[in-house]
């Protein structure tokens, strides 16, 4: 008789955004006339930029012709895309990253869930609390997190680094040395970030204690302040301790077409073993490459026209972020984030529980957000709104919230 991976049985509830989708569906079935505005999941709403669409059309035509048709993509990514990434995302920032250290994938969510596979089950992970749920859930599935405590909503073998108002949402070095440290900066969900000098301290710490940093830079395009690093490799010594995850979803609207990449420097070694070689082996075995059409679309993000167009889109979302943040402040809320990130993090009024505020907002304003406690116990009493809606919807949502 076969047995299942019992670790899955330990996971409480369903994936956060699936739970929210179910709740919203039930509400709208009961209230078919409600005009629901979703500022919940961080999904983009602006269409793919013209330069990207043009590149996709061209690539589609190539696929229709025997001379230019492409089958399996190289498993680690086409050179044209890897070279464009290196030139624009690394060389331009003074980071010495080679094209063969870039592993093109179908998105940062997959990479952030899969990367743990190349590490021992004995490793202890440290996460910010609140945190993007994929980091913890994927480690639970692998069997690295111990047992779940329903009361504290924590896993026995996970080191939590609370990020709350009292510490400006900046994680502090844990008391016990972790083996793997997940950092997402600018942060999802709190929308806050740290300065480059603070990131440098994390790099120094990881190198000192022998930990690896899994650095999720999915929201890098939203950085507006000059003292914030766009890549962890801007910090000295990062190549010996950090893996960086990047996404095309948030900067260029690829949520529906899927593209991302992971950087694993060749200098990153555990003893004599190269993590770069391990990830190449894993990627080669389990992944057949992101589609040619999508990689050409990714290349177009770095064209002159593409860069200008995606910059404008990011600017539009940041206009929403400012509008939401100011609107909430006017309405008397305590608000964080939204300056280097498309997420606005607010304290719930009258210490309402996060899920209670979710229901309150859905029922009374028909606005969907994300309960802070869904991201971890320290998110309790907080709530996340995204700036990825349309401008009109962001305005309407704030008007409705102000009337509550
Ligand atoms: C979020 O809303 O936190 C993210 O959009 C989810 C994701 O990127 O997978």
């Amino acid at each position: 008789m076969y047995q299942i991976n019992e670790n899955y049985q330990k996971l409480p509830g369903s994936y956060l955004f699936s739970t929210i989708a179910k709740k919203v569906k039930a509400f709208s079935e009961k209230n078919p006339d409600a005009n629901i505005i979703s500022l919940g999941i961080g999904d983009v709403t602006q269409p793919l930029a013209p330069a990207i669409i043009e590149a996709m059309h061209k690539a589609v035509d190539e696929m229709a012709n025997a001379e230019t048709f492409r089958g399996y993509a190289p498993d680690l990514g086409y050179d044209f895309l890897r070279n464009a990434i290196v030139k624009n995302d690394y060389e331009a920032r003074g980071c010495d990253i080679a094209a063969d250290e870039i592993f093109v994938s179908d998105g940062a969510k997959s990479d952030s869930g899969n990367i743990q596979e190349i590490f021992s089950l004995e490793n202890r992970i440290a996460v910010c609390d609140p945190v993007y749920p994929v980091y913890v859930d994927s480690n639970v599935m692998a069997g690295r997190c111990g047992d779940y405590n329903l009361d504290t909503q924590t896993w026995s073998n996970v080191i939590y680094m609370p990020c709350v108002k009292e510490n400006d949402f900046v994680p502090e070095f844990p008391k016990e040395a972790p083996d793997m440290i997940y950092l997402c900066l600018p942060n999802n969900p709190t929308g806050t970030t740290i300065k480059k000098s603070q990131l440098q301290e994390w790099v120094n710490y990881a190198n000192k204690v022998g930990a690896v940093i899994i650095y999720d830079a999915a929201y890098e395009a939203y950085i507006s302040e000059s003292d914030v690093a766009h890549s962890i490799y801007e910090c000295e010594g990062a190549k010996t301790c950090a893996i960086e995850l990047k996404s095309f979803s948030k900067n260029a609207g690829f949520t529906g077409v899927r593209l991302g990449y992971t950087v694993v420097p060749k200098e990153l070694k555990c003893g004599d073993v190269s993590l770069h070689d391990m990830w190449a082996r894993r990627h080669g075995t389990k992944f057949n490459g992101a589609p040619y059409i999508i990689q050409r679309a990714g290349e177009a993000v770095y064209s002159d026209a593409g860069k200008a167009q995606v910059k404008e889109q990011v600017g539009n979302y940041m206009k929403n972020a400012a509008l939401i943040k100011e609107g909430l402040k006017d309405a008397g809320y305590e608000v964080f984030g939204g300056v280097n990130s498309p997420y606005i993090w607010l304290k719930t009024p009258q210490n309402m529980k996060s899920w209670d505020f979710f229901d309150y907002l859905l029922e009374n304003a028909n606005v969907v957000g994300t309960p802070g406690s869904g991201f971890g116990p320290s998110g309790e009493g907080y709530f996340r709104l995204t700036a990825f809606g349309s401008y009109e919807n962001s305005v309407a949502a704030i008007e409705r919230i102000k009337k509550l």
Side-chain angles (χ1 to χ4, degrees), residues 348-357 360-361 380-382:
T348 57
Q350 283 105 41
N351 287 324
M352 244 171 154
K353 295 262 189 206
S354 301
W355 276 109
D356 291 344
F357 188 65
Y360 173 76
L361 211 58
E380 184 58 274
Y382 291 93

Side-chain angles (χ1 to χ4, degrees), residues 15 17 40-43 109 132-134 188-189 219 249-250 255 258 343 370 375 384 386 388:
Y15 183 62
F17 293 103
I41 191 164
D43 195 4
K109 184 175 186 180
Y132 180 47
V134 175
N188 178 16
Y219 298 95
S249 289
K250 318 293 173 164
T255 53
R258 313 304 308 146
Y343 293 126
T370 309
F375 297 100
R384 193 192 80 177
T386 155
F388 285 126

Side-chain angles (χ1 to χ4, degrees), residues 136-369:
V136 176
D137 287 5
S138 57
N139 277 286
V140 171
M141 290 168 177
R144 206 175 273 113
C145 294
D147 295 310
Y148 190 65
N149 181 327
L150 211 55
D151 294 332
T152 57
Q153 299 189 7
T154 55
W155 293 90
S156 58
N157 204 31
V158 172
I159 299 171
Y160 291 89
M161 304 181 288
C163 295
V164 287
K165 181 185 140 186
E166 287 70 25
N167 61 8
D168 287 330
F169 304 96
V170 177
E172 288 155 32
F173 299 131
K175 289 189 189 78
E176 310 151 84
D179 303 300
M180 295 159 64
I181 304 165
Y182 285 82
L183 293 178
C184 172
L185 295 164
N187 186 253
N188 178 16
T190 67
T192 57
T193 195
I194 62 177
K195 293 184 194 315
K196 183 176 163 187
S197 55
Q198 292 171 300
L199 185 59
Q200 180 67 58
E201 286 173 24
W202 275 99
V203 168
N204 298 347
Y205 171 81
N207 275 321
K208 193 173 94 196
V209 302
V212 63
I213 297 178
I214 314 290
Y215 190 76
D216 185 345
Y219 298 95
E220 164 277 313
Y222 291 83
I223 294 172
S224 67
E225 292 177 325
S226 60
D227 52 0
V228 178
H230 287 253
S231 161
I232 195 164
Y233 303 115
E234 288 177 43
C235 296
E236 228 169 280
K239 289 210 286 182
T240 55
C241 69
I243 290 174
E244 182 161 286
L245 313 176
K246 286 290 296 280
S247 165
F248 284 77
S249 289
K250 318 293 173 164
N251 62 326
F254 277 50
T255 53
V257 291
R258 313 304 308 146
L259 191 67
Y261 67 86
T262 289
V263 184
V264 189
K266 294 199 200 92
E267 283 169 49
L268 184 55
K269 290 193 170 151
C270 182
D272 290 339
V273 181
S274 154
L275 270 65
H276 177 275
D277 292 353
M278 286 181 76
W279 187 241
R281 186 71 175 83
R282 191 263 169 213
H283 218 60
T285 301
K286 294 200 177 181
F287 186 59
N288 248 340
Y292 174 70
I293 297 163
I294 308 304
Q295 293 199 47
R296 280 291 183 202
E299 182 191 29
V301 171
Y302 299 106
S303 66
D304 288 343
K307 278 194 237 180
Q309 291 162 5
V310 299
K311 192 170 171 212
E312 191 181 328
Q313 294 194 336
V314 167
N316 291 337
Y317 290 131
M318 288 313 276
K319 256 184 238 154
N320 295 348
L323 175 126
I324 295 170
K325 190 167 182 175
E326 287 316 306
L328 289 170
K329 273 196 204 159
D330 289 349
Y333 288 86
E334 206 176 347
V335 201
F336 311 92
V339 174
N340 294 294
S341 139
Y343 293 126
I344 294 96
W345 189 242
L346 57 120
K347 200 95 189 76
T348 57
Q350 283 105 41
N351 287 324
M352 244 171 154
K353 295 262 189 206
S354 301
W355 276 109
D356 291 344
F357 188 65
F358 173 90
D359 291 332
Y360 173 76
L361 211 58
L362 180 58
E363 279 158 27
N364 297 290
N366 299 162
V367 171
V368 179

